[in-house]
Amino acid sequence: MTQQAGATAVAHTNIALIKYWGKADPVLNLPTTSSLSLTLKEYYTKTQVEEADVDSLLINELPQDAKRVHEFLNILREEVQDFPPLRVISTNKVPISAGLASSASSFAALTAAVAKFNNWQLSLEDLSRLARRGSGSATRSFFPDFAIWEKGHDDTSSYATHFDTPDMPIALVVCKISGLVKKVSSTEGMRRAQTSPNYAAWVEESARQLVDMEDALKKADIKRVGDIAEANSLGMHNLNLTAKDQRFTYFNAQTMQILDEVKALRQAGYTAYATMDAGPNVKIITTLNEANAIKESLAKRFLKIQFDIATPGPGISYE
Ligand code: PMV
């Protein structure tokens, strides 16, 4: 096996329409539920790896604490094959740690770049399974458009695959309320959520919502997709609010105002449904036709919030 001098991979981030919010096994990152996501064209991470003296990490040209990356690289060394220390150089077109899932694209790009560096011949499913150990949501960032992460029951059975649908004009209006680093990490947030008395019911509800979501996607019924995604996301955030151990919320006042606005837009006849992750930002599920009007209407009312339109994106690629 010969290593390349350097290798580069690009992974796009994804937004879960059915969320991963709880671990059945915190070491292996086995989830309590299966999840389903949309990959986004506009947000991505490009990661280059090259041989170095120690594992190190540079994001957008700034040196970072490499602890999490080093631990992940050691998992790959153990699980697949040993390789030398690496300098990891990432360009991140996703706000870090603010609920826009930068860890999804980061760990997917890193896994793919390391595999290319080492000339490992791995399937997308194998890459997805390995990336899971870095960040659960990274499992879904190898695939274009929609991906489903089957929760599985052990290390080998828990990975994502592409979920095939007819073409549909789905779009997101991303409301960037805060790009600040989140207060509660997703790992800690999940741990707390799992202490909610509502947790078992959410897991059951999530399985039903996934079946519904698959059906809505196969029929390209964007309104139904949005309706199910919004219910699933609010269910996830309800767990945080009702955690027995240190209840909390990722929402802030602006999150609530945007949620009201989404409801008003819906009453006015728009396709508009909200989904929120581990941060205050709201992503509004709508159609390509309506996205601009929704963005303009919100931009007029919320002068300090930045709005982007995001559309379905590609799977992993190499440079
Ligand atoms: O991949 P993690 O450990 O950052 O967890 C992601 C959790 C959510 O973004 C809130 C939901 C999801 O399924 O992506």
Side-chain angles (χ1 to χ4, degrees), residues 21 192-193 196 198-199 202 235-243:
W21 199 242
R192 295 187 195 181
S196 165
N198 304 334
Y199 195 76
W202 180 76
M236 162 193 153
H237 291 277
N238 163 281
L239 300 174
N240 303 340
L241 283 169
T242 55

Side-chain angles (χ1 to χ4, degrees), residues 14-23 29 35-37 68 99-104 132 134-140 149 182 185-187 190 236-237 250 276-279 283:
N14 70 77
I15 292 294
L17 302 176
I18 298 290
K19 310 290 185 194
Y20 150 52
W21 199 242
K23 302 182 199 244
N29 269 350
S35 55
L36 190 149
S37 64
R68 194 165 162 199
L100 279 169
S102 67
S103 65
R132 191 193 72 235
S135 170
S137 54
T139 54
R140 304 180 307 238
W149 172 18
K182 64 193 168 203
S185 71
S186 49
T187 296
M190 289 181 206
M236 162 193 153
H237 291 277
Y250 289 116
M276 288 73 61
D277 294 279
K283 279 75 64 170

Side-chain angles (χ1 to χ4, degrees), residues 235-256:
M236 162 193 153
H237 291 277
N238 163 281
L239 300 174
N240 303 340
L241 283 169
T242 55
K244 282 257 201 246
D245 185 8
Q246 302 181 67
R247 59 182 173 262
F248 73 107
T249 181
Y250 289 116
F251 293 3
N252 65 21
Q254 288 187 310
T255 311
M256 299 309 291

